[in-house]
Amino acid sequence: MTGHPTQQASSRRTRLTRKILIDLSVMTVIGVVLAMIGPFGSSSQPMGVRLPIWIGFAWLGYAMYSPMGYMVERLSKALQLPSWGLYIAATLIATIPMAIAVWCIGFLPDAPRMPTPSEALAAYVNVLVIGASITVLFILIERGNRVPEANHVEAEAVAEPMPEPTPGPRFLDRLPPELGSELLALEMEDHYVRAHTALGSDLVLLRMRDAVAELDGVDGEQIHRSWWVARGAVEDVKRDGRNVRLVLEGGLEAPVSRSNVAALKEAGWF
């Protein structure tokens, strides 16, 4: 891939690295706070001992719980399920290996023993309480980061006259509000088109050609009889002989008809 998609991929890697560093900083602060509180009987240990232990637990917990967000996003889009239910299930599952790790680390440098059922349940619940609380905190932080910085924009526009609102593509008005307006692709399904956005997908009773006609101003192309793709959504390209598929955000793949391959290549899509 060259040009715009490559720049997008580089930008995403930069954002991911920045997010991980910020998250680990937050987890370090949480570890320090837990060390000061000394929950679950750890207050009997000196601060010099419980501080590195709780910071280590915080980082270990981040490594085990943080992949949940990615998996929940993918499953929520693929299965059309509410994310809160998937987060609950994912937290309950991720707590199992975390509780095992906490139990084993507690016996170092000696070998851990097998816990009794009551000890195993108590360890699981203790880890679940902290893990679920931190998960909720990160969900709230993530949602807060997605809110547009409206105050900053308003401050810059105080002295500027309000421009006339520009009507957006008519097709976006057909989508439910929870899907947002970041359109990735349209996929034809019988007499419907499935609109794929960054937040999910939904069916719209409309012919493909009519849907494409309502996308005035959106940078994209109908790459196949059954697919229209937004140019900015393309992340990669797959080739299998003469067959070409565009890989979009979220792992979605769209086939390119052979009659369109040369034109898209000339236009710099791949």
Side-chain angles (χ1 to χ4, degrees), residues 59-256:
W59 288 0
L60 179 62
Y62 178 76
M64 291 190 176
Y65 284 91
S66 61
M68 291 192 312
Y70 175 77
M71 294 303 299
V72 166
E73 253 184 56
R74 296 294 297 272
L75 288 175
S76 180
K77 292 178 181 179
L79 304 178
Q80 300 293 301
L81 293 174
S83 59
W84 62 265
L86 293 173
Y87 266 114
I88 292 175
T91 302
L92 292 173
I93 294 172
T95 299
I96 297 174
M98 184 64 191
I100 294 173
V102 170
W103 175 265
C104 294
I105 291 173
F107 285 90
L108 293 178
D110 300 323
R113 63 173 177 81
M114 183 66 67
T116 64
S118 59
E119 288 174 332
L121 179 60
Y124 179 85
V125 171
N126 289 343
V127 173
L128 180 61
V129 169
I130 295 178
S133 300
I134 296 175
T135 298
V136 170
L137 173 64
F138 271 91
I139 291 174
L140 294 176
I141 292 174
E142 186 68 22
R143 288 183 177 177
N145 289 338
R146 292 176 181 173
V147 176
E149 299 179 355
N151 292 337
H152 178 68
V153 174
E154 288 178 5
E156 289 184 346
V158 167
E160 298 291 333
M162 292 297 292
E164 290 293 328
T166 302
R170 290 171 292 162
F171 181 80
L172 297 181
D173 295 334
R174 299 178 182 272
L175 301 181
E178 59 268 22
L179 288 186
S181 58
E182 188 180 345
L183 187 63
L184 305 180
L186 299 179
E187 177 185 4
M188 186 170 69
E189 294 187 12
D190 295 327
H191 299 293
Y192 294 81
V193 292
R194 179 173 292 279
H196 297 276
T197 75
L199 300 179
S201 68
D202 198 11
L203 289 173
V204 178
L205 181 57
L206 198 65
R207 293 178 299 182
M208 174 64 80
R209 66 181 182 185
D210 294 331
V212 172
E214 293 186 358
L215 289 174
D216 297 335
V218 180
D219 186 10
E221 291 289 343
Q222 186 169 353
I223 63 170
H224 186 278
R225 185 177 66 87
S226 302
W227 282 86
W228 175 96
V229 169
R231 183 163 186 158
V234 179
E235 293 187 331
D236 201 355
V237 61
K238 288 185 177 179
R239 293 182 176 86
D240 182 11
R242 296 176 61 190
N243 298 321
V244 177
R245 302 178 71 86
L246 299 182
V247 181
L248 313 181
E249 288 184 33
L252 190 67
E253 295 187 9
V256 180

Side-chain angles (χ1 to χ4, degrees), residues 2-52:
T2 59
H4 184 58
T6 303
Q7 292 174 351
Q8 278 194 329
S10 176
S11 177
R12 288 191 183 91
R13 286 193 295 269
T14 301
R15 289 199 302 268
L16 178 60
T17 302
R18 180 175 180 273
K19 179 182 183 302
I20 292 175
L21 292 175
I22 293 174
D23 289 350
L24 287 177
S25 298
V26 173
M27 293 306 300
T28 301
V29 173
I30 291 175
V32 172
V33 172
L34 290 173
M36 294 175 65
I37 297 174
F40 312 128
S42 63
S43 58
S44 60
Q45 297 174 321
M47 177 60 76
V49 173
R50 64 178 189 261
L51 183 61

